[in-house]
Every structure is written in structure tokens, then in C-alpha cells.
Amino acid sequence: MRLISFVNAILVVTALYLLVFERDALFAFAGRGDTEVDVTSDAETADHETSSQSAIAVVAMRSIAREIDGAVLVRGQTRANRQVEVLAETTSTVISEPKRKGAFVEAGDLLCELDPGTRPASLAEAVAAKLEAESRIPEAEARLDEAHALVAEAQINLTAAQKLSETGFGSETRRISSEAAMRSAEAGIKTAEAGLEATRAGIEAANAEVKAAQREIDRQTIEAPFKGLLESDTAELGSLMQPGSLCATVIQLDPIKLVGFVPEVDVNKIIVGSEASAQLVTGRQVAGRVTFLSRSADETTRTFEVEITVPNPDLTIRDGQTADIRISADGAKAHLLPQSALTLNNEGQVGVRTVGAGNIVDFMPIKLLRDTAEGIWINGLPETADVIVVGQEFVTQGVKVNPTYRDAAQ
């Protein structure tokens, strides 16, 4: 057995020697050699082998640009369409049973009712004062009419006294007395008019007192400002309310808003009214339209707030849920490449290295459009490009390479 193994080893070594060092002779002995060798063909083959050995082997992928939409991707969250803390405007105690959080309320529904106390009596007193002020109007108007009548009488007496004085049948004293009576009657008109205006002013003041008393009574009932849900319990029975005390918190979830912050490089792609969709953290897909785009950037992040309004009739979307928002924008031509294909040139520009004419390497700067699970979408390349995906870090622009192409799906 040892002798056979030794013989086998000798045979293997001999075969390897013949295949490596005596290959031409072995092929000629086997009948595969050609006695008439084409010298020109051998020279070309040698040149090709030398050129291939000098070129750097890389792996490239032929990429063809495809049309994609220019959607802007934003990470945001849901936000209630409206949320308000309903506060008390006066001081009193709660006399109504509380409503529990989560309850649905319509606009105008009673949330908290307060003890009116002496406010109805104050309203009645204000109403009585108003009626009293209104009752003085006829008296003031009668005094004004009387003053006008006295002026007319004084005017007649003055005219008669002046004529008698001119003809010598009346004394000068009578004429002067008539003129004084005339001035007194005119002053009476002004006094009567001032009295009428004062009476009317008293009526206006009484009206104001009535409205103030009525407003104070209205403040005893605190109502829901809009249709929504109670986010907190209403004030407990018997609790003392002061101006500014919280009665309840009401939120409106239909419709609901999706709020995100757009980078300044993408803000010009968004138009108010554009369609938008989102995937909530629960996996639910929703759709709506852009209703607001901020004109002022956040000082810290340099991003712009965007709001999308989404219908929520069943109220299943809650306030504060995380959402991946996708806002529609104009489409563009782009290439889908593996992220590993990106590299940097000597100036620090991000780009890819491509195989050009004559298998010469070229560097092309690119612009990132979107990062997905399948790869990255970029533009800045021609319609068709041979992108080096393996070995791009070991070659530079102008170097000749020996590319091996792979399918884009690999």
C-alpha cells in the first residue's frame, strides 16, 4: 500500500510538471498543436494578454435612468385639528355632574354649570333701572316742547314791544324786558335739550348694566366650543372655579393633521394643495392634501413646517402618532444604484466612478434624491452609465480598467 501511494504521488507530480512547464509540448504530443503558427495572431494575442494584465479588474453595472416621482419624504406626527382648554370666566362653584374624558361632545353642549348666586337679582335690578330711565323720556321731551312754546311766545311779545317802542306807544323798558324774556326762553330750550340727552344717556348706561348682568349669568354655563372629544374630565361637582380655572380640554380629531418638517433643499418642491400620503406607526395608510407650508424656517434645524389635512371620520387616528409622510412633487429621471457605489473624489465631492470610452475611468458628481431599501436614487448621470460598483475605491479618474459587468438586479 505504501509503494502504491508513493507511485501515485510521483505520477501526480509528473502530470503537474508537464501541464505547467511543458504544456505546449504536451499539447503537440497529444495532436492539438499546430505546426504552422500564425506569427501575427500570436503577437496580437500576446499584446492583448499584456494589456489585460496591466488593466485593473473591476465590477461594473450598466444603469439606465428611469422616471420616478419627485416625492418629498418627511417623518412627522399626527396632531389634533383643534385643541382648546375651556376655562372659567367668573368665580363660583360647580353644580353640574362631571363628564368623563373620552366622551364625545357637540358644539354648545354643557360642560360645567356654575352656581348663579345673586346674579339673577342683579340682572333684575339692572332691568328695573333701564325701565325707569326709559320712563323719563316723555317728561324730558315735554319739557323741550314747553321750552319751544315759551320761545315762540317770547318772540311774539318781543316783536310787539319793538313796534310799540318805534311808534312811541310803548316804553323802552318794555322792549328790553321782552328781549330778556326771549333770551331766557332760548336758554330754556338748551336746558330741555340737555335734560333729554342726559335721559337718553341714562338709558344707554342702564342697557350696559343689563348686558353686563346678562353676560355674568351666561358665564355660569360653560359650553363646548366645537364638536370633539373630552381629553380630560370636566370640573368636579362642588369645586370652586376662579377666572382662568380649567373646566375641560376638548380636542377635534376629524379632520386630523399630519405635521412634519421639510429640509430647505426640498421646500420649493412642495405646493399647498399637493396630494400627500402617510404610513402611521401602526401600519395604516392615510391620504390627504397639503394645507400649510411655513414661510419661516426653524432657527435651530433650518427646516420648514408642513401640515397635511387628513379625514378621520371614525376617530381611529390619535393625536401624537408617528407617521412617515410622502408629499407628491414633479417627477424626474434617476438611477437606482447600491449605496456602496458612492465614493469621493480628491475635492470631497460625492459621486460615482464610471467606465467610459476605451475602458477609462471617469468620476461623475451626483445628487441624492431618495434612500430606499432597494438602493439609492440619484441623478446627475447620463441616460445610460456603466457605474463601477466593486473596486471603485482602488481606481482614479483616467485609469484604464478591465470591467466585468453584472446584472442590475444582482
Side-chain angles (χ1 to χ4, degrees):
M1 292 297 293
R2 293 180 179 178
L3 180 61
I4 294 174
S5 299
F6 182 73
V7 172
N8 288 339
I10 293 175
L11 292 176
V12 170
V13 170
T14 304
L16 291 174
Y17 174 80
L18 293 175
L19 285 174
V20 175
F21 298 101
E22 301 294 338
R23 182 176 58 181
D24 294 339
L26 181 62
F27 286 167
F29 177 77
R32 295 180 62 180
D34 190 356
T35 56
E36 295 181 0
V37 180
D38 189 346
V39 178
T40 303
S41 177
D42 288 346
E44 291 177 352
T45 301
D47 292 342
H48 177 71
E49 291 178 353
T50 303
S51 175
S52 298
Q53 291 175 358
S54 62
I56 301 175
V58 296
V59 178
M61 182 183 76
R62 179 155 294 172
S63 176
I64 300 175
R66 287 179 279 174
E67 185 76 23
I68 64 168
D69 62 5
V72 178
L73 303 181
V74 181
R75 192 167 181 84
Q77 65 178 12
T78 59
R79 182 185 295 173
N81 186 45
R82 288 191 289 183
Q83 178 170 336
V84 64
E85 294 181 341
V86 185
L87 307 178
E89 298 180 78
T90 188
T91 302
S92 189
T93 56
V94 179
I95 60 174
S96 60
E97 290 291 335
K99 288 180 168 52
R100 298 307 175 188
K101 56 185 175 182
F104 184 81
V105 294
E106 294 281 352
D109 282 358
L110 179 66
L111 300 179
C112 298
E113 183 178 2
L114 306 182
D115 183 10
T118 60
R119 292 174 180 85
S122 299
L123 176 60
E125 183 180 355
V127 171
K130 176 185 175 183
L131 294 175
E132 181 182 358
E134 290 175 344
S135 67
R136 294 173 183 169
I137 286 289
E139 180 183 355
E141 290 177 344
R143 288 177 180 175
L144 181 59
D145 292 339
E146 181 183 1
H148 281 290
L150 291 175
V151 167
E153 181 183 0
Q155 182 65 48
I156 294 173
N157 293 334
L158 176 60
T159 302
Q162 288 175 343
K163 289 183 178 180
L164 291 174
S165 176
E166 291 173 358
T167 58
F169 293 102
S171 64
E172 187 67 19
T173 302
R174 182 179 178 184
R175 182 184 65 80
I176 294 173
S177 177
S178 297
E179 290 177 352
M182 180 65 183
R183 287 193 292 271
S184 178
E186 289 175 347
I189 289 180
K190 294 185 181 298
T191 301
E193 288 177 346
L196 181 59
E197 290 298 322
T199 302
R200 289 173 178 170
I203 293 175
E204 293 296 326
N207 280 330
E209 289 292 334
V210 171
K211 290 180 180 179
Q214 184 62 55
R215 176 60 178 160
E216 190 66 19
I217 288 180
D218 293 340
R219 288 172 176 167
Q220 306 311 299
T221 55
I222 305 175
E223 300 174 346
F226 50 80
K227 179 180 178 180
L229 294 171
L230 290 179
E231 191 66 8
S232 66
D233 293 343
T234 61
E236 189 58 62
L237 175 66
S239 58
L240 177 63
M241 304 293 285
Q242 303 281 353
S245 298
L246 178 64
C247 168
T249 300
V250 184
I251 62 172
Q252 186 183 66
L253 297 179
D254 183 28
I256 197 167
K257 295 179 182 177
L258 303 177
V259 182
F261 292 88
V262 182
E264 53 187 337
V265 295
D266 295 329
V267 68
N268 288 335
K269 298 180 183 178
I270 301 175
I271 301 173
V272 174
S274 298
E275 294 182 353
S277 60
Q279 181 174 359
L280 304 181
V281 70
T282 58
R284 178 177 175 180
Q285 297 284 343
V286 296
R289 290 188 176 274
V290 176
T291 53
F292 172 75
L293 179 61
S294 174
R295 293 285 179 177
S296 177
D298 183 270
E299 294 183 359
T300 304
T301 62
R302 309 306 304 167
T303 55
F304 294 81
E305 184 178 6
V306 61
E307 291 183 359
I308 296 96
T309 301
V310 175
N312 187 27
D314 54 1
L315 306 181
T316 55
I317 305 176
R318 292 171 169 80
D319 181 28
Q321 289 183 289
T322 303
D324 292 322
I325 304 170
R326 185 173 180 273
I327 304 172
S328 298
D330 293 336
K333 287 276 191 177
H335 292 261
L336 179 62
L337 299 176
Q339 192 171 16
S340 59
L342 299 184
T343 186
L344 299 174
N345 64 1
N346 294 333
E347 288 73 32
Q349 285 183 299
V350 179
V352 295
R353 289 191 170 94
T354 61
V355 180
N359 291 342
I360 302 300
V361 175
D362 190 14
F363 178 85
M364 292 188 177
I366 55 89
K367 180 181 179 182
L368 299 175
L369 296 181
R370 192 182 307 166
D371 189 0
T372 65
E374 295 79 17
I376 54 172
W377 289 94
I378 65 171
N379 64 8
L381 301 180
E383 186 77 15
T384 303
D386 295 335
V387 181
I388 301 174
V389 293
V390 177
Q392 70 273 19
E393 300 295 345
F394 303 102
V395 294
T396 58
Q397 188 171 0
V399 173
K400 188 172 184 179
V401 294
N402 181 23
T404 300
Y405 288 89
R406 79 176 189 188
D407 188 3
Q410 294 180 348

